[in-house]
Amino acid sequence: MRDSRRSPTRSTAGWDLPRRSPGQRLRSLFSPRSVAGQVFLLQLAVVVLLVAATVTALVLQARHQATEAARDQVLSTAEAFANAPGTAEALDGPDPTAVLQPRAEEARRRSGVDNIVVSTPEGIRVTHRNPELIGRHVVGPYRAAARGEAFTEIYDGPIGVSVYAAVPVFRLDGSVAGIVFPEITVQNVNEAVARQLPVLFTAGAGALALAAAGAALVSGRLRHQTRGLGPTEITRMYEHHDAVLHSVREGVLIVGGDGRLLLANDEARRLLDLPEDAERHTVADLGLAPGIAGLLAAGRRATDEVHLAGDRLLAVNVRPVDHAGSTSTGTAGCVATLRDTTELQALTGRAEIARERLQLLYDAGVRVGTTLDVVRTAEEVAEVAVPRFADVVTVELLDPVLRGEEGDGPTTEMRRTAIVGLEGDHPLYPVGELIRFTPTAPAAAGILRGHAVLEPDLGTDRAWRAGDPDRARRILEHGFHSLIAAPLTARGRTLGTATFWRKGASPPFDEDDPSFAEELAARAAVAIDNARRYTREHTLAVTLQRSLLPRALPQQSALDVAHRYLPAQGGVGGDWFDVIPLPGARVALVVGDVVGHGLHAAATMGRLRTAVHNFSALDLPPDELLAHLDELVATLDAEEATDSDAPDVTGATCLYAIYDPAAGVCTVARAGHLGPALVHPDGSVTFPDVPVSPPLGLGAGLPIETATLYPAAGSRLVLFTDGLVERRDRDIDTGLALLRDTLAAHPGSDPETTCAQVVDALRPETPLDDIALLVARTHLLDPDQVALWDVPDDPAAVPRVRADVTRRLEVWGFPESVFTTELIASELVTNAIRYGIPPIRLRLLHDTSTLVCEVADASSTAPHLRRAATTDEGGRGLFLVAQCGTRWGTRYTARGKVIWAEQSLHEPTAEPEASADDLLDQWADDEL
């Protein structure tokens, strides 16, 4: 009986493929299971995407062109209307609307725009298509046009979203008489674009149809070539041929059912030593080893059967194959694979060693150089090599390297820095020992040659033993038998040497080990050199910074002050603080920050701190001082702008506060810096609103504002830099809230305790930025410590002033200062009466260490100290004041100036030997 099933056809590759009807072939063309169908669908998807993208781009381009055309139209219309005769005169006329409204409507109809608005330079409409909007202010930007600049914009106005232009109307003298605003609504622009859409969509559909037809033709040809096979079937065919014909890692044999060799790859020919025409003979005629020949001839299944073939030990695998191509017990033949286990074992051992060495180098890159400390880096070098490469590792470095310096050149005198692998008593030099290696020692020889030196057998090396026979004997007795000395060289400079030792049952080093030791030493040397360079840079930066920051706070009685400075983990930076005594028992508090770290930040900080001291000596108010400091930073940036490698100072901030204990007033100004925290005596914490100005160097001449605070006695002012409250994982508001909570939790703490509490609560484990903290507790001068007199503008009042000063000093208990203070007050008051402007006031005040005499008047002219000639009748008054007091000066106020002189209450001022009458006869008043 005839089989009703379709008979299969055989492909050229030997695969049995089913016959397919035309309908099946068409379904295969579009089926995603076949390669042809997948290619067709992919091509169709790409074409659809490209057509869609092209149509979208054309639509957007058309819209853009329409918008630009609208811009050009409104701009040309505006310029034509603005330059039309009589437009400027009409705007300056008594009723511009009556003249221009008809013109605007006529121009709107002729030009095709939707509206033409004319306005005054102040933006008041003169014309509009909606008369109700005439006289109202225009909507949208117009100030640039009022300044004489024409422009176009898109905005949402009274008639909707529109494209409009603003063109100024100029008078004959060049001034702007008004502005013309033509408008075209975006809706009209879009309608123009919409008229083009049918053409674009029709073209896109046609392109899509043509591309789909082309893709169908390509897919049909591909289906014919692949015979409708799917990816899985083609992959299986490829894998079959690749496994048989192109495998090179193992020998492959294909034996037919009649015992004839059908195929042998190159590896099988090499392993079995087959002749060139081996495929023409039976297995029995190839001269194979009996075991392998019998196995192949029998065609039985075998898995990793080991057979000897000459001097090779082969692992043989055999799989029988039937006519359908599957493994079975039929007689169609077999496939055999051969593997040389001898070479594989050797390769496996070498590969394992290589893998371990690579892993060791990788670990060295990860574990060495984690701390940037020279000694610790040397210890890490030794730790990474023990015990995987050596039993003991010693590292010796040059003394200059340990100090962060560069060595003078190759030398055999080094200091042992690290030993790893030995504990207790041992014969090697201890850590810290200065070793002078002999030229024949392996360490010295490696440094002089620039390569690692191998000593495979220390017992037979006479040169090594001759250097120190006694120590060499003890080393051998301790079990050491082999070493490699590798120089540590980085960037062309020798840093030291690393010695790798083996002892006991460990195999000695062989000829392949020195190259690996050199590679390990080279990587270690780079890490050590980085640590050395960091040590040098860090030492320089720390030395510079310590020399620039205040070592001790000055003596003053207005505030109890404590401070903390905590450098960042990455090195020193540019944060600083200062406490500067000012005349009149006042004190200036300063906190600043220069962005960045390193030498440049520290040097910039020193320059800014010195500038603040110099400006403070002029007794400037906080806003003027910061203005001068801003100009200085801008000048420094301009000077360094010519050097491309020199970083700018931009990023520096500063807070400057002056506290007056006599008035209980604190004046604060800040440039880009965080404001202070104020802890009131009752424990409440506030952050006063201090106006902030741009950072130093960015002020561009802008005024700096100040804030006046009135802290009660016992209040604490807390000044800090952003490193205290700002972190990468926490925003600044959270840090300020934590600072407030910490300060409020300890209401009665003194400044020193407050610093410790704040640092403990807010300092991160690894600070990435510097922290500067200044805590000052305020004091108020007792009213009895201040005396104030209004002085009449009459020279006859000077004796009465001297008498009042004398009585006040006796009440205060300073009789030894009466003569000097009376003389100073007399001279300053006389100068103010002669050369100043009323009102004139005299103030005496004292704290625990100083007595200050101040005379204020309404004049802003400052006196100058000079040495008078013998023939001069005046000019000696200020010289006398300067000789009697410890210091004197002038400061300016909003209503004039104050001339002050200060005396020390603990160190008596040297009085002139002459009597008071002689002094008054010899020294006249100072001249302004």
Side-chain angles (χ1 to χ4, degrees), residues 407-424:
D408 298 331
T411 178
T412 60
E413 185 176 292
M414 292 170 284
R415 190 173 299 277
R416 178 146 291 170
T417 309
I419 298 178
V420 175
L422 284 178
E423 295 181 359

Side-chain angles (χ1 to χ4, degrees), residues 10 110 124 169 195 200 237 256 455 494 502 506 547 590 593 610 614 696 719 732 789 796:
R10 183 170 299 274
R110 292 185 177 183
I124 304 302
V169 181
R195 288 192 291 271
L200 295 178
M237 290 175 59
E455 296 294 345
T494 300
R502 284 186 181 176
S506 298
S547 66
V590 189
D593 182 7
T610 302
N614 292 336
L696 299 176
L719 283 65
I732 193 169
W789 296 277

Side-chain angles (χ1 to χ4, degrees), residues 281-626:
H281 302 83
T282 61
V283 174
D285 298 332
L286 294 176
L288 301 179
I292 297 178
L295 179 60
L296 295 177
R300 62 179 178 83
R301 181 185 296 269
T303 301
D304 284 341
E305 287 191 11
V306 179
H307 294 270
L308 186 61
D311 58 350
R312 295 183 178 92
L313 198 61
L314 304 181
V316 182
N317 292 273
V318 179
R319 291 294 183 270
V321 179
D322 62 8
H323 288 284
S326 61
T327 58
S328 67
T329 58
T331 60
C334 64
V335 176
T337 61
L338 311 173
R339 186 174 65 254
D340 190 347
T341 58
T342 306
E343 293 186 3
L344 180 61
Q345 184 65 30
L347 289 174
T348 302
R350 288 195 295 269
E352 182 64 23
I353 294 175
R355 188 195 64 79
E356 292 177 356
R357 296 288 173 86
L358 289 174
Q359 183 64 38
L360 181 56
L361 291 176
Y362 171 79
D363 292 343
V366 174
R367 294 174 51 187
V368 177
T370 60
T371 63
L372 292 177
D373 178 80
V374 175
V375 175
R376 179 56 192 154
T377 304
E379 293 174 350
E380 291 171 345
V381 173
E383 291 171 354
V384 78
V386 175
R388 290 187 288 176
F389 181 65
D391 297 317
V392 178
V393 177
T394 60
V395 179
E396 294 79 34
L397 299 178
L398 304 180
D399 268 347
V401 174
L402 292 171
R403 298 191 298 268
E405 303 171 2
E406 293 184 349
D408 298 331
T411 178
T412 60
E413 185 176 292
M414 292 170 284
R415 190 173 299 277
R416 178 146 291 170
T417 309
I419 298 178
V420 175
L422 284 178
E423 295 181 359
D425 188 21
H426 58 79
L428 300 181
Y429 289 105
V431 173
E433 182 82 10
L434 183 63
I435 307 173
R436 295 176 177 85
F437 292 102
T438 61
T440 58
I447 290 177
L448 297 176
R449 299 176 190 173
H451 298 286
V453 174
L454 169 64
E455 296 294 345
D457 189 357
L458 295 178
T460 60
D461 188 352
R462 296 182 179 180
W464 173 76
R465 300 178 63 179
D468 189 344
D470 182 62
R471 187 175 297 276
R473 178 184 55 80
R474 289 187 287 119
I475 290 175
L476 293 174
E477 292 176 353
H478 205 78
F480 291 92
H481 56 75
S482 180
L483 69 81
I484 296 176
L488 298 173
T489 305
R491 299 177 179 93
R493 293 188 174 272
T494 300
L495 309 177
T497 184
T499 305
F500 305 91
W501 305 77
R502 284 186 181 176
K503 64 175 186 174
S506 298
F509 291 110
D510 56 31
E511 296 296 334
D512 295 333
D513 293 327
S515 59
F516 174 77
E518 284 186 7
E519 177 67 21
L520 183 59
R523 299 194 180 196
V526 172
I528 293 174
D529 189 57
N530 289 338
R532 177 196 65 79
R533 291 157 64 92
Y534 172 79
T535 300
R536 180 188 63 186
E537 297 290 338
H538 185 72
T539 301
L540 290 175
V542 169
T543 303
L544 174 62
Q545 188 186 44
R546 288 179 178 174
S547 66
L548 296 176
L549 287 174
R551 299 185 180 181
L553 298 181
Q555 294 293 331
Q556 45 81 34
S557 58
L559 299 167
D560 294 333
V561 182
H563 64 88
R564 291 290 188 278
Y565 179 82
L566 306 174
Q569 184 183 34
V572 297
D575 291 17
W576 90 91
F577 63 90
D578 246 321
V579 178
I580 305 174
L582 299 176
R586 297 171 304 134
V587 178
L589 301 176
V590 189
V591 172
D593 182 7
V594 177
V595 176
H597 297 89
L599 288 175
H600 182 268
T604 303
M605 176 269 290
R607 299 167 77 177
L608 297 183
R609 179 172 178 258
T610 302
V612 170
H613 271 270
N614 292 336
F615 292 144
S616 297
L618 302 176
D619 208 352
L620 300 175
D623 54 340
E624 294 185 19
L625 185 142
L626 290 183

Side-chain angles (χ1 to χ4, degrees), residues 626-627 629-630 650-654 670-673 691-705:
L626 290 183
L629 200 62
D630 178 71
T650 302
T653 64
C654 184
R670 60 183 177 132
H673 203 85
V692 61
S693 300
L696 299 176
L698 301 177
L702 296 176
I704 297 177
E705 301 181 60

Side-chain angles (χ1 to χ4, degrees), residues 99 101 114 280 398-399 480 697 835 881-882:
V99 177
Q101 177 69 7
D114 294 316
R280 302 176 183 178
L398 304 180
D399 268 347
F480 291 92
Y835 310 109
V881 171

Side-chain angles (χ1 to χ4, degrees), residues 686-893:
T686 60
F687 292 96
D689 185 13
V690 179
V692 61
S693 300
L696 299 176
L698 301 177
L702 296 176
I704 297 177
E705 301 181 60
T706 61
T708 303
L709 310 180
Y710 299 92
S715 300
R716 284 172 288 167
L717 277 169
V718 181
L719 283 65
F720 51 90
T721 56
D722 57 358
L724 181 69
V725 296
E726 188 174 15
R727 289 163 48 181
R728 292 181 178 177
D729 58 345
R730 183 183 67 198
D731 59 30
I732 193 169
D733 292 334
T734 304
L736 291 174
L738 182 58
L739 175 62
R740 178 191 292 111
D741 296 341
T742 303
L743 294 173
H746 308 87
S749 301
D750 57 20
E752 186 66 32
T753 306
T754 301
C755 284
Q757 293 165 346
V758 169
V759 169
D760 291 342
L762 277 78
R763 181 186 183 183
E765 295 182 1
T766 56
L768 301 178
D769 194 7
D770 301 346
I771 297 175
L773 175 64
L774 196 63
V775 179
R777 183 168 57 189
T778 61
H779 297 290
L780 291 177
L781 291 182
D782 191 280
D784 293 337
Q785 295 178 268
V786 182
L788 183 66
W789 296 277
D790 292 323
V791 180
D793 188 17
D794 184 2
V798 176
R800 185 169 64 255
V801 169
R802 288 200 296 264
D804 291 341
V805 169
T806 300
R807 285 193 296 271
R808 175 60 64 176
L809 292 178
E810 290 176 349
V811 171
W812 283 348
F814 304 140
E816 66 279 359
S817 302
V818 169
F819 173 75
T820 304
T821 308
E822 179 184 324
L823 182 60
I824 293 174
S826 176
E827 291 297 331
L828 297 182
V829 169
T830 302
N831 277 345
I833 293 174
R834 287 187 177 182
Y835 310 109
I837 299 175
I840 302 172
R841 283 191 171 187
L842 169 65
R843 187 173 76 160
L844 287 181
L845 60 90
H846 74 89
D847 56 11
T848 58
S849 59
T850 58
L851 174 64
V852 182
C853 177
E854 299 178 347
V855 175
D857 67 86
S859 172
S860 60
T861 306
H864 299 281
L865 179 66
R866 67 182 180 89
R867 182 178 293 276
T870 56
T871 57
D872 291 345
E873 295 183 359
R876 300 177 177 85
L878 278 183
F879 184 80
L880 182 62
V881 171
Q883 294 297 312
C884 293
T886 56
R887 58 176 183 160
W888 73 279
T890 305
R891 72 174 180 270
Y892 295 94
T893 64

